[in-house]
Amino acid sequence: MKKSLAAAVGAALVAVLAACGGGDGASGDTLRVGTLSDSKPNAYQENGVFTGFDNELLKAIAAHQNLKLEFVSTEFSTLLSQVANGKFDIGSSGISQTDERRKTVDFSAPYNYQSLGIEAREGTGITDEKSLAGKRIGVVQGTVSDSWLAANAPTAQAVRFPQDAAALAALKSGAIDGAIFDQATAEDYAAKNPDAKLKVVKAITTTIPHGFAVKKGDTELAGKINAGLKAVIADGTWEKVHQRFTPNAPVPAEFKAGQK
């Protein structure tokens, strides 16, 4: 009797654990999404809810594909390795698809393109990449901003931070002379911090696509994301989300409603 009871309890426990779901991208259980909490307008947390262009677009994609999502905050510098080791099923935070990153993770189809902004306080003399020479310039470690600074202003002193919030705090305090952020993020910081007298002195548009990151070889999950992405582009959801978070940015032709 005791053995039968123990077996029944064990079977019930297994059933409960299975119902709770894990992080298997091929299963239909809850998918864990690694994202950021402070990177407006792409990925941030507001009133306890993860939102932003990337996260709201991913939510719309998930709704089309009947996928359940759980968003978890992390630092960008560790996000891709956490996707690679299975801690997260998806990485969502305006991740630029570079050849180096493709060695670590696979990506969905492109859903946007990388634009950067050089941001500085008034009086620093920073106007463009040429004026960055000898200046202390903040970047988030491992981002396109980091590699762009190294390639385009090699004599600048790169000051690397784990996330946007730390770089912004250093910029406002004068600990650094300028910073390179995503363009929309930089514009948001300038608008929200008038006392700091921040200005986006130059915008740089690239052809580097953004993508949602998945574990290498997870073609099933990547396929579901891609199918959902096609659907939200075709029905106009992409443009609605874009207008909500980045209304001043241009809409590339391939993301306009009706595209298949």
Side-chain angles (χ1 to χ4, degrees):
M1 179 66 72
K2 288 183 179 180
K3 290 183 179 180
S4 298
L5 180 60
V9 170
L13 180 58
V14 169
V16 169
L17 290 174
C20 290
D24 184 355
S27 71
D29 292 335
T30 300
L31 301 171
R32 285 172 58 83
V33 181
T35 188
L36 308 185
S37 61
D38 65 344
S39 187
K40 290 186 176 181
N42 295 314
Y44 61 98
Q45 198 170 20
E46 188 169 71
N47 299 322
V49 177
F50 286 99
T51 186
F53 173 79
D54 298 69
N55 290 336
E56 293 301 332
L57 185 67
L58 184 58
K59 291 175 189 179
I61 289 170
H64 270 276
Q65 294 296 302
N66 196 30
L67 302 173
K68 297 178 182 179
L69 306 177
E70 175 191 3
F71 290 86
V72 181
S73 178
T74 188
E75 293 182 354
F76 189 88
S77 59
T78 59
L79 175 55
L80 294 187
S81 63
Q82 291 171 324
V83 173
N85 67 26
K87 180 175 181 179
F88 299 124
D89 299 292
I90 303 171
S92 170
S93 64
I95 307 170
S96 295
Q97 300 189 42
T98 64
D99 290 339
E100 188 64 27
R101 289 174 179 169
R102 291 190 184 98
K103 296 176 183 177
T104 302
V105 297
D106 286 340
F107 285 100
S108 68
Y111 64 82
N112 209 349
Y113 292 93
Q114 180 76 39
S115 294
L116 303 175
I118 302 174
E119 189 154 21
R121 300 184 327 280
E122 289 183 8
T124 59
I126 294 176
T127 57
D128 56 18
E129 56 267 44
K130 294 180 181 178
S131 63
L132 300 180
K135 304 287 188 181
R136 288 171 55 82
I137 305 300
V139 292
V140 175
Q141 183 176 354
T143 63
V144 170
S145 298
D146 191 352
S147 57
W148 181 91
L149 182 65
N152 293 276
T155 59
Q157 182 180 347
V159 183
R160 294 178 173 85
F161 297 91
Q163 76 281 110
D164 279 358
L168 176 62
L171 181 60
K172 290 167 63 177
S173 71
I176 55 177
D177 301 304
I180 314 296
F181 297 112
D182 287 346
Q183 180 185 347
T185 300
E187 291 173 348
D188 182 73
Y189 289 159
K192 299 287 179 62
N193 296 276
D195 293 342
K197 298 183 178 180
L198 303 179
K199 182 179 180 180
V200 180
V201 298
K202 185 174 181 179
I204 302 108
T205 301
T206 78
T207 57
I208 302 173
H210 285 178
F212 297 110
V214 300
K215 190 174 183 178
K216 287 193 76 65
D218 195 347
T219 56
E220 183 173 352
L221 178 55
K224 289 179 180 180
I225 294 173
N226 290 342
L229 177 59
K230 286 184 179 180
V232 300
I233 292 172
D235 68 12
T237 300
W238 190 100
E239 288 188 87
K240 291 178 182 177
V241 178
H242 180 271
Q243 178 63 26
R244 175 181 170 188
F245 292 99
T246 55
N248 297 323
V251 176
E254 62 263 46
F255 300 131
K256 291 183 178 180
Q259 299 298 314
K260 303 244 176 149

